[in-house]
Short mmCIF file of all heavy atoms in Angstrom, two decimals:
data_model
loop_
_atom_site.label_atom_id
_atom_site.label_comp_id
_atom_site.label_asym_id
_atom_site.label_seq_id
_atom_site.Cartn_x
_atom_site.Cartn_y
_atom_site.Cartn_z
N ARG Z 1 0.89 -1.17 0.00
CA ARG Z 1 -0.03 -0.01 0.03
C ARG Z 1 0.98 1.24 -0.03
O ARG Z 1 1.92 1.36 0.82
CB ARG Z 1 -0.88 -0.02 1.27
CG ARG Z 1 -1.84 1.02 1.32
CD ARG Z 1 -2.77 0.89 2.49
NE ARG Z 1 -4.00 1.50 2.27
CZ ARG Z 1 -5.06 1.46 3.03
NH1 ARG Z 1 -5.03 0.48 4.06
NH2 ARG Z 1 -6.16 2.12 2.90
N VAL Z 2 0.60 2.14 -0.88
CA VAL Z 2 1.41 3.38 -0.99
C VAL Z 2 0.72 4.54 -0.20
O VAL Z 2 -0.39 4.73 -0.38
CB VAL Z 2 1.55 3.83 -2.46
CG1 VAL Z 2 2.41 5.08 -2.52
CG2 VAL Z 2 2.22 2.66 -3.29
N VAL Z 3 1.48 5.13 0.76
CA VAL Z 3 1.07 6.20 1.49
C VAL Z 3 2.07 7.38 1.32
O VAL Z 3 3.24 7.09 1.49
CB VAL Z 3 0.88 5.89 2.96
CG1 VAL Z 3 0.52 7.03 3.91
CG2 VAL Z 3 0.01 4.67 3.12
N VAL Z 4 1.56 8.54 0.98
CA VAL Z 4 2.34 9.80 0.80
C VAL Z 4 1.75 10.84 1.61
O VAL Z 4 0.65 11.18 1.54
CB VAL Z 4 2.44 10.21 -0.67
CG1 VAL Z 4 3.29 11.41 -0.84
CG2 VAL Z 4 2.98 9.02 -1.56
N GLN Z 5 2.58 11.36 2.50
CA GLN Z 5 2.21 12.43 3.46
C GLN Z 5 0.84 12.06 4.19
O GLN Z 5 -0.01 12.83 4.38
CB GLN Z 5 2.01 13.72 2.72
CG GLN Z 5 3.39 14.18 2.01
CD GLN Z 5 3.20 15.44 1.20
OE1 GLN Z 5 2.28 16.24 1.32
NE2 GLN Z 5 4.15 15.78 0.33
N GLY Z 6 0.79 10.76 4.67
CA GLY Z 6 -0.39 10.36 5.39
C GLY Z 6 -1.63 9.99 4.48
O GLY Z 6 -2.67 9.67 5.08
N VAL Z 7 -1.51 10.15 3.16
CA VAL Z 7 -2.66 9.98 2.24
C VAL Z 7 -2.40 8.57 1.45
O VAL Z 7 -1.39 8.50 0.88
CB VAL Z 7 -2.80 11.10 1.28
CG1 VAL Z 7 -3.95 10.81 0.26
CG2 VAL Z 7 -2.96 12.40 2.05
N SER Z 8 -3.39 7.67 1.56
CA SER Z 8 -3.19 6.42 0.84
C SER Z 8 -3.46 6.62 -0.63
O SER Z 8 -4.50 7.32 -0.89
CB SER Z 8 -4.19 5.34 1.34
OG SER Z 8 -3.92 5.07 2.74
N LEU Z 9 -2.73 6.01 -1.45
CA LEU Z 9 -2.96 6.11 -2.84
C LEU Z 9 -3.51 4.73 -3.38
O LEU Z 9 -2.81 3.71 -3.22
CB LEU Z 9 -1.55 6.36 -3.69
CG LEU Z 9 -0.80 7.59 -3.17
CD1 LEU Z 9 0.51 7.67 -3.87
CD2 LEU Z 9 -1.53 8.81 -3.12
N LEU Z 10 -4.72 4.83 -3.89
CA LEU Z 10 -5.41 3.49 -4.20
C LEU Z 10 -6.13 3.66 -5.54
O LEU Z 10 -6.52 4.70 -5.96
CB LEU Z 10 -6.44 3.14 -3.11
CG LEU Z 10 -5.89 2.89 -1.68
CD1 LEU Z 10 -7.11 2.82 -0.65
CD2 LEU Z 10 -5.13 1.65 -1.68
N SER Z 11 -6.30 2.47 -6.09
CA SER Z 11 -7.22 2.34 -7.38
C SER Z 11 -8.57 2.15 -6.87
O SER Z 11 -8.85 1.94 -5.70
CB SER Z 11 -6.73 1.18 -8.15
OG SER Z 11 -7.08 -0.01 -7.45
N PRO Z 12 -9.58 2.33 -7.73
CA PRO Z 12 -11.01 2.07 -7.27
C PRO Z 12 -11.22 0.71 -6.66
O PRO Z 12 -11.77 0.55 -5.67
CB PRO Z 12 -11.88 2.27 -8.59
CG PRO Z 12 -11.06 3.26 -9.35
CD PRO Z 12 -9.62 2.87 -9.14
N LYS Z 13 -10.56 -0.22 -7.38
CA LYS Z 13 -10.67 -1.66 -6.80
C LYS Z 13 -9.92 -1.79 -5.44
O LYS Z 13 -10.48 -2.49 -4.55
CB LYS Z 13 -10.04 -2.57 -7.87
CG LYS Z 13 -10.25 -4.11 -7.52
CD LYS Z 13 -9.58 -4.94 -8.72
CE LYS Z 13 -9.83 -6.38 -8.37
NZ LYS Z 13 -9.40 -7.22 -9.52
N GLY Z 14 -8.81 -1.13 -5.40
CA GLY Z 14 -8.06 -1.20 -4.05
C GLY Z 14 -8.76 -0.55 -3.04
O GLY Z 14 -8.75 -0.97 -1.83
N LEU Z 15 -9.45 0.58 -3.28
CA LEU Z 15 -10.20 1.29 -2.35
C LEU Z 15 -11.41 0.38 -1.87
O LEU Z 15 -11.68 0.33 -0.61
CB LEU Z 15 -10.71 2.58 -2.93
CG LEU Z 15 -11.64 3.47 -2.07
CD1 LEU Z 15 -10.95 3.83 -0.67
CD2 LEU Z 15 -12.11 4.69 -2.75
N SER Z 16 -12.03 -0.16 -2.82
CA SER Z 16 -13.20 -1.04 -2.40
C SER Z 16 -12.83 -2.10 -1.54
O SER Z 16 -13.49 -2.39 -0.55
CB SER Z 16 -13.84 -1.45 -3.75
OG SER Z 16 -14.95 -2.44 -3.42
N LYS Z 17 -11.61 -2.71 -1.91
CA LYS Z 17 -11.24 -3.84 -1.06
C LYS Z 17 -10.79 -3.45 0.27
O LYS Z 17 -11.02 -4.03 1.29
CB LYS Z 17 -9.89 -4.43 -1.71
CG LYS Z 17 -9.33 -5.64 -1.06
CD LYS Z 17 -8.19 -6.18 -1.82
CE LYS Z 17 -7.57 -7.35 -0.96
NZ LYS Z 17 -6.29 -7.90 -1.64
N SER Z 18 -10.03 -2.24 0.42
CA SER Z 18 -9.67 -1.70 1.66
C SER Z 18 -10.84 -1.42 2.61
O SER Z 18 -10.84 -1.73 3.80
CB SER Z 18 -8.94 -0.37 1.60
OG SER Z 18 -7.73 -0.69 0.86
N ILE Z 19 -11.92 -0.89 1.94
CA ILE Z 19 -13.06 -0.53 2.77
C ILE Z 19 -13.82 -1.82 3.33
O ILE Z 19 -14.16 -1.97 4.46
CB ILE Z 19 -14.06 0.33 1.97
CG1 ILE Z 19 -13.48 1.70 1.81
CG2 ILE Z 19 -15.43 0.48 2.68
CD1 ILE Z 19 -14.26 2.64 0.89
N ARG Z 20 -13.87 -2.78 2.35
CA ARG Z 20 -14.56 -4.06 2.79
C ARG Z 20 -13.78 -4.78 3.82
O ARG Z 20 -14.40 -5.46 4.69
CB ARG Z 20 -14.70 -4.98 1.52
CG ARG Z 20 -15.85 -4.75 0.61
CD ARG Z 20 -16.04 -5.86 -0.47
NE ARG Z 20 -14.87 -6.48 -0.94
CZ ARG Z 20 -14.17 -5.99 -2.03
NH1 ARG Z 20 -14.60 -5.04 -2.60
NH2 ARG Z 20 -13.17 -6.62 -2.40
N GLU Z 21 -12.40 -4.88 3.72
CA GLU Z 21 -11.69 -5.63 4.71
C GLU Z 21 -11.38 -4.82 6.01
O GLU Z 21 -10.86 -5.46 6.82
CB GLU Z 21 -10.37 -6.07 4.01
CG GLU Z 21 -10.56 -7.02 2.84
CD GLU Z 21 -9.24 -7.34 2.17
OE1 GLU Z 21 -8.26 -6.80 2.44
OE2 GLU Z 21 -9.34 -8.27 1.28
N SER Z 22 -11.64 -3.59 6.04
CA SER Z 22 -11.34 -2.86 7.27
C SER Z 22 -12.38 -3.11 8.30
O SER Z 22 -13.57 -3.22 7.99
CB SER Z 22 -11.21 -1.41 7.01
OG SER Z 22 -12.34 -0.82 6.47
N HIS Z 23 -11.95 -3.12 9.54
CA HIS Z 23 -12.85 -3.41 10.60
C HIS Z 23 -12.57 -2.33 11.68
O HIS Z 23 -11.33 -1.84 11.85
CB HIS Z 23 -12.66 -4.70 11.36
CG HIS Z 23 -12.77 -5.85 10.36
ND1 HIS Z 23 -14.03 -6.26 9.91
CD2 HIS Z 23 -11.86 -6.62 9.76
CE1 HIS Z 23 -13.86 -7.22 9.02
NE2 HIS Z 23 -12.58 -7.45 8.92
N GLY Z 24 -13.46 -1.73 12.27
CA GLY Z 24 -13.32 -0.69 13.20
C GLY Z 24 -14.28 -0.61 14.26
O GLY Z 24 -15.10 -1.57 14.48
N PRO Z 25 -14.20 0.35 15.14
CA PRO Z 25 -14.98 0.55 16.31
C PRO Z 25 -16.44 0.90 16.16
O PRO Z 25 -17.19 1.12 17.00
CB PRO Z 25 -14.27 1.49 17.17
CG PRO Z 25 -13.70 2.39 16.10
CD PRO Z 25 -13.42 1.57 14.96
N LEU Z 26 -16.87 1.16 14.82
CA LEU Z 26 -18.23 1.70 14.60
C LEU Z 26 -19.24 0.64 14.37
O LEU Z 26 -19.09 -0.20 13.47
CB LEU Z 26 -18.05 2.76 13.45
CG LEU Z 26 -17.08 3.82 13.49
CD1 LEU Z 26 -16.98 4.53 12.20
CD2 LEU Z 26 -17.29 4.73 14.69
N ASP Z 27 -20.37 0.80 15.13
CA ASP Z 27 -21.48 -0.14 14.84
C ASP Z 27 -22.43 0.60 13.84
O ASP Z 27 -22.29 1.71 13.56
CB ASP Z 27 -22.19 -0.54 16.17
CG ASP Z 27 -22.72 0.65 16.93
OD1 ASP Z 27 -23.14 1.69 16.23
OD2 ASP Z 27 -22.76 0.74 18.12
N PRO Z 28 -23.28 -0.14 13.38
CA PRO Z 28 -24.26 0.44 12.35
C PRO Z 28 -25.00 1.65 12.82
O PRO Z 28 -25.18 2.55 12.00
CB PRO Z 28 -25.24 -0.75 12.01
CG PRO Z 28 -24.51 -1.98 12.38
CD PRO Z 28 -23.69 -1.64 13.46
N GLN Z 29 -25.41 1.69 14.02
CA GLN Z 29 -25.99 2.98 14.57
C GLN Z 29 -25.05 4.12 14.54
O GLN Z 29 -25.49 5.26 14.15
CB GLN Z 29 -26.56 2.76 15.96
CG GLN Z 29 -27.57 1.67 15.96
CD GLN Z 29 -28.00 1.32 17.39
OE1 GLN Z 29 -27.12 1.36 18.27
NE2 GLN Z 29 -29.33 1.06 17.69
N ALA Z 30 -23.82 3.92 14.89
CA ALA Z 30 -22.74 4.94 14.84
C ALA Z 30 -22.61 5.45 13.46
O ALA Z 30 -22.45 6.67 13.16
CB ALA Z 30 -21.52 4.54 15.53
N VAL Z 31 -22.46 4.43 12.49
CA VAL Z 31 -22.36 4.89 11.11
C VAL Z 31 -23.48 5.74 10.59
O VAL Z 31 -23.25 6.89 9.98
CB VAL Z 31 -22.16 3.60 10.23
CG1 VAL Z 31 -22.23 4.01 8.71
CG2 VAL Z 31 -20.87 2.88 10.56
N ASP Z 32 -24.69 5.35 10.96
CA ASP Z 32 -25.94 6.16 10.54
C ASP Z 32 -25.85 7.51 11.09
O ASP Z 32 -26.14 8.54 10.52
CB ASP Z 32 -27.19 5.50 11.01
CG ASP Z 32 -27.47 4.15 10.17
OD1 ASP Z 32 -26.87 4.09 9.06
OD2 ASP Z 32 -28.29 3.36 10.60
N HIS Z 33 -25.52 7.58 12.43
CA HIS Z 33 -25.29 8.91 13.04
C HIS Z 33 -24.31 9.78 12.38
O HIS Z 33 -24.47 11.01 12.25
CB HIS Z 33 -25.00 8.74 14.60
CG HIS Z 33 -25.15 9.94 15.38
ND1 HIS Z 33 -26.20 10.13 16.18
CD2 HIS Z 33 -24.34 10.96 15.61
CE1 HIS Z 33 -26.24 11.20 16.80
NE2 HIS Z 33 -25.03 11.80 16.58
N ILE Z 34 -23.18 9.21 12.07
CA ILE Z 34 -22.11 9.92 11.38
C ILE Z 34 -22.56 10.48 9.97
O ILE Z 34 -22.26 11.65 9.56
CB ILE Z 34 -20.77 9.06 11.21
CG1 ILE Z 34 -20.15 8.97 12.50
CG2 ILE Z 34 -19.85 9.72 10.09
CD1 ILE Z 34 -19.01 7.82 12.54
N VAL Z 35 -23.22 9.67 9.28
CA VAL Z 35 -23.77 10.07 7.89
C VAL Z 35 -24.67 11.19 8.18
O VAL Z 35 -24.69 12.21 7.32
CB VAL Z 35 -24.55 8.85 7.34
CG1 VAL Z 35 -25.32 9.33 6.10
CG2 VAL Z 35 -23.47 7.79 6.92
N GLU Z 36 -25.72 11.23 9.10
CA GLU Z 36 -26.57 12.30 9.37
C GLU Z 36 -25.79 13.53 9.73
O GLU Z 36 -26.18 14.66 9.19
CB GLU Z 36 -27.56 11.89 10.51
CG GLU Z 36 -28.59 10.83 10.09
CD GLU Z 36 -29.32 10.43 11.23
OE1 GLU Z 36 -29.33 11.03 12.29
OE2 GLU Z 36 -30.04 9.39 11.14
N ARG Z 37 -24.87 13.38 10.64
CA ARG Z 37 -24.07 14.63 11.02
C ARG Z 37 -23.30 15.19 9.81
O ARG Z 37 -23.29 16.52 9.78
CB ARG Z 37 -23.08 14.18 12.11
CG ARG Z 37 -22.25 15.32 12.58
CD ARG Z 37 -23.07 16.43 13.30
NE ARG Z 37 -22.22 17.62 13.43
CZ ARG Z 37 -22.69 18.74 13.02
NH1 ARG Z 37 -23.87 18.90 12.48
NH2 ARG Z 37 -21.80 19.74 13.06
N LEU Z 38 -22.55 14.36 9.05
CA LEU Z 38 -21.88 14.97 7.89
C LEU Z 38 -22.79 15.52 6.86
O LEU Z 38 -22.53 16.56 6.15
CB LEU Z 38 -21.01 13.85 7.30
CG LEU Z 38 -19.80 13.35 8.23
CD1 LEU Z 38 -19.04 12.36 7.57
CD2 LEU Z 38 -18.92 14.60 8.62
N ASP Z 39 -24.00 14.91 6.65
CA ASP Z 39 -24.91 15.42 5.74
C ASP Z 39 -25.46 16.81 6.05
O ASP Z 39 -25.50 17.69 5.24
CB ASP Z 39 -26.06 14.49 5.65
CG ASP Z 39 -26.99 14.73 4.46
OD1 ASP Z 39 -26.50 15.16 3.30
OD2 ASP Z 39 -28.23 14.60 4.57
N THR Z 40 -25.59 17.03 7.35
CA THR Z 40 -26.01 18.27 7.86
C THR Z 40 -24.87 19.38 7.82
O THR Z 40 -25.02 20.49 7.29
CB THR Z 40 -26.48 18.16 9.29
OG1 THR Z 40 -27.53 17.23 9.37
CG2 THR Z 40 -27.01 19.51 9.89
N ALA Z 41 -23.65 18.92 8.27
CA ALA Z 41 -22.59 19.85 8.39
C ALA Z 41 -21.93 20.22 7.08
O ALA Z 41 -21.25 21.25 6.91
CB ALA Z 41 -21.52 19.25 9.37
N LEU Z 42 -21.92 19.27 6.12
CA LEU Z 42 -21.26 19.43 4.85
C LEU Z 42 -22.27 19.23 3.66
O LEU Z 42 -22.14 18.28 2.92
CB LEU Z 42 -20.07 18.42 4.69
CG LEU Z 42 -19.10 18.47 5.87
CD1 LEU Z 42 -18.12 17.34 5.72
CD2 LEU Z 42 -18.31 19.69 5.93
#
């Protein structure tokens, strides 16, 4: 994986794979809450 100045450089396929394979602390409710907050703020 190539990272430059803290930014990952990915192809669309690589991005899709990274998102699918990543696991984190967010449950589905938290994800929905983040989406609502960002939709309002941005």
